[in-house]
Amino acid sequence: GLSLGSQTLSLAFFENRRLLLSRLDTHNFEVQLYTAQAMSVIYCVKLLSDVRSECTVDSAFWNEQVAAQLTELLANATAPVQTKLLDKQQGSIIALGYIAHGLQAALKALKRTWADTIEHALTSIQTATVEGLRMAGESGTHPAIATAWCSAAGEICQLGLTAGTHPISSAQFMTASIAVVKSAGNPRVHEAALTLLSDIALGSPDMALELIEFLQSTAGSMTKKQLDMHFKTGEALARALGRFQCTLVNMNWVFPLKPAEVFGDEAVGANAAGIDKLFTAITTKMSRSTNMQERQAAAIWTLTVVQSCPGMDELVPWLSKLHSCLCMLLSDRSELTQEVASRALGLIYSLGDSSLKEEMVYSLISLFGGNNGGSRRPGVDGSAMD
């Protein structure tokens, strides 16, 4: 992950933040992202430093200078799209999301809110971002701009948006994000929208059930050209449900704070209700479906979640059922499903205790050792293992 070293170094970068702002105009999207991440960290560190210091916080600085800078970025982000200014607009949108994320992380860690202009600026960013998402769900929006709004919205939603304390709720972001996924004809926009959905559920765990229902409903409609999206969807589910038990989330935590300082001790754990809903859908419906794409999704999602969250306690009660489900998929007519199921079985075996490992070995021997009842293939004869 990104590191700016000591607090002194981060504060030095903050004093020279105009240099970072100039990098937002670059044509390289990765450079824009890294620049925005750096800005997220230095704004977070600066606010933490100011509030925790023995000196009185310079409210005028935050409520005037910083708020004015955010307002300037917001004007760039929401201006009518012009081809020659596309990179600048994209960079401004991304920066808004990351800076808002950094400031909100600091405020949550400090258990404080900002009552004056800085809060008004953050409110304006949230409002503009959800409007940007709604625009991204419409045809004619430039893919770069749609991707940028998804990225910014994800940063804003990761820390949770509680109804009544935020002008825009997580539910509103979820509705707008689903519309982007449904309308996205560009793979990059589709992937960015999937990541955004996982960010929403990461910050607001109660949204995970709606996320799973939506993704399950779309799994069967993927085409052969979209197979990669099964893996991207699996990663989104791992991030949303594993939360800080997921390596994909931990790698992207860049703040000089422990996640529990921001989210609370209980809120960093895995989403048990979401995991149960996902694996229930996989083991009872998707893996037994006559739709090949749904069976592929069942295998791929299982592999991705188990691979990304190997130490998650919530996996343990499901290992035996997942093993049985994947054994069935080993004889699927899709070679991809067979290969992915085999890889997932290997991971599940490594996570099991001695009794489960013994059970798995005997089950595989029975499956491939001539047991007549173990090779019926869903999608070939329309039936599945009992």
Side-chain angles (χ1 to χ4, degrees):
L2 178 71
S3 175
L4 293 174
S6 67
Q7 174 177 299
T8 302
L9 181 58
S10 292
L11 293 176
F13 269 99
F14 185 86
E15 294 303 319
N16 294 280
R17 59 192 180 281
R18 282 288 173 187
L19 295 176
L20 289 173
L21 284 168
S22 67
R23 300 300 298 155
L24 294 174
D25 296 353
T26 180
H27 186 62
N28 188 312
F29 183 70
E30 294 298 319
V31 172
Q32 289 181 328
L33 279 178
Y34 283 126
T35 301
Q37 281 186 338
M39 295 180 74
S40 182
V41 174
I42 65 175
Y43 274 78
C44 177
V45 171
K46 173 62 174 174
L47 184 52
L48 287 170
S49 175
D50 280 9
V51 175
R52 287 174 173 172
S53 68
E54 296 180 1
C55 303
T56 303
V57 176
D58 186 355
S59 297
F61 166 74
W62 286 98
N63 295 331
E64 295 173 13
Q65 292 187 43
V66 175
Q69 195 171 66
L70 294 177
T71 301
E72 180 184 340
L73 284 171
L74 189 58
N76 293 336
T78 56
V81 177
Q82 299 181 48
T83 303
K84 63 180 181 179
L85 297 176
L86 189 65
D87 293 331
K88 182 177 183 179
Q89 185 171 13
Q90 177 179 259
S92 295
I93 293 169
I94 295 168
L96 282 173
Y98 275 90
I99 292 173
H101 186 186
L103 292 174
Q104 291 282 26
L107 289 171
K108 291 191 73 168
L110 294 164
K111 296 179 172 56
R112 290 184 59 154
T113 59
W114 216 274
D116 299 315
T117 310
I118 192 69
E119 184 172 2
H120 175 72
L122 291 175
T123 297
S124 298
I125 291 171
Q126 290 182 12
T127 303
T129 302
V130 81
E131 288 303 319
L133 277 181
R134 288 168 181 156
M135 181 181 66
E138 301 172 357
S139 60
T141 303
H142 195 287
I145 299 302
T147 301
W149 281 122
C150 287
S151 178
E155 294 301 307
I156 290 171
C157 291
Q158 278 184 32
L159 299 182
L161 299 172
T162 306
T165 59
H166 291 85
I168 308 296
S169 67
S170 296
Q172 288 173 282
F173 273 102
M174 177 70 82
T175 299
S177 305
I178 287 175
V180 176
V181 173
K182 288 180 176 179
S183 65
N186 182 291
R188 184 178 165 193
V189 176
H190 194 159
E191 181 180 345
L194 285 174
T195 302
L196 167 55
L197 286 172
S198 71
D199 285 332
I200 295 171
L202 174 62
S204 302
D206 57 316
M207 302 299 298
L209 301 185
E210 181 179 346
L211 169 65
I212 294 166
E213 289 176 1
F214 169 66
L215 294 178
Q216 184 185 349
S217 71
T218 62
S221 60
M222 295 288 182
T223 65
K224 290 184 178 179
K225 293 182 179 180
Q226 295 176 310
L227 277 179
D228 187 52
M229 284 303 162
H230 282 323
F231 288 94
K232 299 299 182 184
T233 302
E235 290 178 0
L237 287 165
R239 293 179 76 253
L241 304 180
R243 310 190 78 239
F244 284 90
Q245 304 301 309
C246 175
T247 55
L248 299 172
V249 174
N250 277 318
M251 284 191 303
N252 287 320
W253 183 256
V254 296
F255 300 112
L257 298 161
K258 293 181 179 179
E261 293 181 67
V262 176
F263 288 89
D265 290 327
E266 296 180 359
V268 299
N271 189 327
I275 291 165
D276 287 346
K277 184 175 182 65
L278 173 65
F279 286 146
T280 296
I282 286 175
T283 56
T284 63
K285 295 180 181 179
M286 295 177 68
S287 62
R288 300 168 181 267
S289 172
T290 56
N291 183 300
M292 183 175 67
Q293 291 290 346
E294 289 189 1
R295 299 195 306 276
Q296 287 177 340
I300 292 170
W301 293 2
T302 301
L303 171 66
T304 311
V305 172
V306 174
Q307 193 172 47
S308 302
C309 312
M312 189 166 64
D313 292 340
E314 288 77 4
L315 278 176
V316 175
W318 283 98
L319 293 178
S320 181
K321 289 183 179 180
L322 289 174
H323 163 73
S324 299
C325 164
L326 293 166
C327 280
M328 178 178 66
L329 293 177
L330 285 176
S331 55
D332 194 271
R333 67 184 181 186
S334 163
E335 291 185 6
L336 173 64
T337 304
Q338 293 176 26
E339 179 183 348
V340 173
S342 176
R343 290 173 58 192
L345 277 171
L347 288 174
I348 288 174
Y349 180 84
S350 69
L351 297 176
D353 57 22
S354 57
S355 61
L356 179 60
K357 288 179 178 178
E358 184 177 357
E359 176 189 333
M360 289 177 68
V361 170
Y362 279 112
S363 177
L364 289 171
I365 290 174
S366 175
L367 180 64
F368 294 107
N371 188 325
N372 292 329
S375 61
R376 288 181 291 174
R377 295 178 291 177
V380 176
D381 57 10
S383 60
M385 291 181 66
D386 296 330

